[in-house]
Amino acid sequence: MSFDNHHPGLGATTHWLSIQAKDLVENQHVIQVNSNSTIEHACDILIKHDIQSVPLFDQETQTYVGMFDLHDLATYILLKRSDHDSDSSAVQIQAAAARSSASGLARDAIMMGKRDSVSLLSDMSHMNPFYSVLPETTLAQVVAVFARGTHRVAVMDGNKIRGILSQTRVIRYFFEHCTESLTASESRLLDTPLRHLGLVTNDVVKVKPNSPVIQALALLERWRISSLAIVDEEDRIAGNLSVADVKYLAKQRRLASGTCMELVQAARFVQGMRDGRDRAAVFSVRPEATLRYALTKLIATGAHRVWVTEPRGTEERMRSGSISIGADPTPPMPMRRASVSSTSSQTVPIAPQHYAGSFNDKVCGVVSLTDILRLLTDTAPNQPELNPELNYASMD
């Protein structure tokens, strides 16, 4: 497989998509949970290690039986709430969908009120099944899977998990090791404004600060997304509710009956107590910002997505013709450079001030890790085909 002028070989540069999965999970300590553990214990593990999914291991058979993902927990909570008359009709419809998607054994056990072990929830949402690859699988093949919405794969060595390779790990590797040796097409992509990449759509799924948590869960599962923008009455970003926040519902069940902002505030408080970091800020960029700038923002903040916002009235000015979207409005990047983080030697150009979003802006799009990986995959001259011999089947 060749990419532009990069041909792996003696004295040649290997394109980053040709790197094998095993190289990115070397010496990784894999966190796992016994399949007969309680849901609360599994959520404790997720909170302790700040992860969103964990493989389930059956001690009796010495095999992995699936993956516990936070979308599974959201589906489970909707299923448990399906008999609450106080819920809205939309939530009732989504709860019915949760009942139909859950496996028969899990559905019957939960509806009968039996002890809920975490194994009953494995792949209940059908959004992030246990997908595994061989150590020799290339990043081209892994990224092709990620570009369709899968967030992580297990790198298997026989019956043992060698490591978990996530979207975040691949994106960080690309940023820290590959942005100085990009192909011409990759450089053009990263320097393209977000508006020209189809990421400013004005159809962002949103909730209000006082929207019920259960309604937010229904939206996450209905649209098969991992985050919601919390906006005020004027569509200004007030917060971000992620599927990562759902794990706190298992620890503080009263939050399931509360509002979206109450859940977010409780989650950020626990996170801040654990690592001392301020999590209150919501990060955003303007449509004129480049994909490179958005990528830098994601790496610097450790976020999985960044919201796209624009000054109020921009859409009306575009319709009237006072703003042209055909021309590239982006000025040249200043030459001054700054380090992204204390743990990375990578430096990036300091962007124009108007690249960053403002508190008074209206939300109009979102850039996620999935979006970036999809765009990078589309840019590669040779689209990777998944080789069945290199990939195990999902464990449904």
Side-chain angles (χ1 to χ4, degrees), residues 264-392:
V264 169
Q265 290 174 341
R268 302 300 175 265
F269 176 78
V270 174
Q271 293 166 346
M273 290 291 290
R274 187 182 66 247
D275 58 22
R277 293 173 55 188
D278 182 7
R279 308 264 183 156
V282 180
F283 303 102
S284 62
V285 297
R286 291 275 177 83
E288 295 75 26
T290 63
L291 186 64
R292 188 188 304 271
Y293 178 74
L295 172 60
T296 302
K297 181 78 75 172
L298 289 170
I299 294 295
T301 61
H304 291 178
R305 89 272 322 147
V306 60
W307 300 104
V308 183
T309 62
E310 61 186 359
R312 301 185 62 78
T314 300
E315 190 175 354
E316 289 76 10
R317 292 197 298 274
M318 283 184 174
R319 284 198 295 265
S320 68
S322 60
I323 295 180
S324 173
I325 63 174
D328 185 354
T330 309
M333 298 285 281
M335 295 306 293
R336 191 161 57 94
R337 302 175 76 84
S339 177
V340 173
S341 69
S342 59
T343 60
S344 172
S345 60
Q346 176 73 24
T347 60
V348 296
I350 296 178
Q353 186 175 3
H354 69 275
Y355 275 15
S358 167
F359 171 75
N360 290 317
D361 285 358
K362 173 184 176 182
V363 61
C364 60
V366 63
V367 182
S368 68
L369 299 183
T370 299
D371 293 324
I372 295 176
L373 290 170
R374 173 180 52 80
L375 290 167
L376 287 170
T377 298
D378 292 343
T379 301
N382 296 327
Q383 296 293 330
E385 294 292 337
L386 290 183
N387 183 348
E389 295 181 358
L390 292 180
N391 298 273
Y392 295 95

Side-chain angles (χ1 to χ4, degrees), residues 179-190:
T179 51
E180 296 296 328
S181 58
L182 297 173
T183 64
S185 57
E186 288 169 338
S187 293
R188 287 192 297 270
L189 171 66
L190 292 183

